[in-house]
Amino acid sequence: MREHKIVVLGGMGSGKSTLVRAIAAGAVVDTDVPNSDRAGADKASTTVAMDYADIDLPNGDRLRLYGTPGQQRFDFIWPILLQGASGVVLLLDATRWAAVEELQDYVAVLRQHAADVPAVIGVSRLDLAPSFDLETCTAVAGWGNRMLPVMPVDARNREQGLSLMDVLMSEMEVHELVPGHG
Ligand SMILES: Nc1nc2c(ncn2[C@@H]2O[C@H](COP(=O)(O)OP(=O)(O)OP(=O)(O)O)[C@@H](O)[C@H]2O)c(=O)[nH]1
Ligand SMILES: [Mg+2]
């Protein structure tokens, strides 16, 4: 049996905990507490340590899914969680006014701490931001000759969450077949 450590990154309220819960469908540990962060004060709860879930895939592989806390003051945890990761899901909240700049910041984090780790970008809450332009995200989602796939995802929707994981798993397969290629 093979195990894959998958790290879910993204800003506060981008849907990391929701995605982990949706994919795991029950067997999940979270550390959400009432939110006291002013920057996201419209949010009832927030993650203070991490979300965690085990998922057994039909092919016998196991995913270990780690959702990071989104609050900026926890950014020291991101590189620690990224150590040994086989894949990264980066969630971007389409309703954030500076979403594209935030994406650039996260892409820089990946470049610094997980340059060789397969990754996929899921844009969430698109139903609340109908004029959001996915193309601008695609344009900044990479570095050098590395392009990260960008796709819409409603983190509440299990099927969509699983599709996102499928794309990530394909990236991971390519990575295994072609060592040294992102
Ligand atoms: N309308 C809409 N709501 C969404 C979508 N994706 C996620 N949400 C909602 O957005 C909120 C996201 O909250 P969380 O899952 O707690 O976000 P988080 O990334 O874990 O946040 P922190 O732990 O605070 O960093 C939840 O209320 C979700 O139901 C979407 O595509 N559309
Ligand atoms: Mg959370």
Side-chain angles (χ1 to χ4, degrees):
M1 187 192 67
R2 299 186 323 153
E3 294 190 343
H4 310 278
K5 175 181 179 180
I6 311 292
V7 176
V8 185
L9 269 180
M12 209 174 155
S14 56
K16 301 176 296 294
S17 298
T18 306
L19 181 78
V20 171
R21 281 188 211 117
I23 296 176
V28 61
V29 178
D30 67 40
T31 58
D32 280 16
V33 299
N35 176 27
S36 59
D37 188 319
R38 292 212 187 97
D42 57 339
K43 196 163 174 288
S45 73
T46 188
T47 305
V48 292
M50 65 176 104
D51 307 290
Y52 175 76
D54 262 359
I55 297 132
D56 289 317
L57 297 177
N59 68 3
D61 286 7
R62 174 170 291 172
L63 297 184
R64 296 192 179 282
L65 211 56
Y66 295 83
T68 58
Q71 294 179 64
Q72 208 69 39
R73 65 194 170 94
F74 286 116
D75 60 1
F76 68 93
I77 293 179
W78 306 340
I80 298 170
L81 276 176
L82 285 169
Q83 279 173 32
S86 332
V88 175
V89 173
L90 174 55
L91 284 184
L92 185 71
D93 177 353
T95 66
R96 303 275 299 173
W97 66 272
V100 174
E101 286 77 7
E102 289 175 4
L103 174 59
Q104 286 177 299
D105 292 345
Y106 275 104
V107 168
V109 169
L110 291 184
R111 181 179 187 174
Q112 188 183 352
H113 299 288
D116 203 29
V117 183
V120 61
I121 296 166
V123 182
S124 64
R125 298 162 62 88
L126 267 176
D127 52 307
L128 304 173
S131 61
F132 189 83
D133 182 14
L134 277 177
E135 299 293 317
T136 42
C137 291
T138 311
V140 301
W143 60 86
N145 56 11
R146 179 107 198 257
M147 288 297 302
L148 309 181
V150 178
M151 60 189 284
V153 66
D154 186 328
R156 304 165 299 177
N157 183 296
R158 181 153 204 264
E159 291 305 316
Q160 293 187 28
L162 291 174
S163 305
L164 188 70
M165 297 307 294
D166 268 347
V167 172
L168 178 61
M169 298 293 283
S170 320
E171 294 285 306
M172 287 161 55
E173 274 162 30
V174 172
H175 182 80
E176 276 178 21
L177 292 173
V178 190
H181 171 86

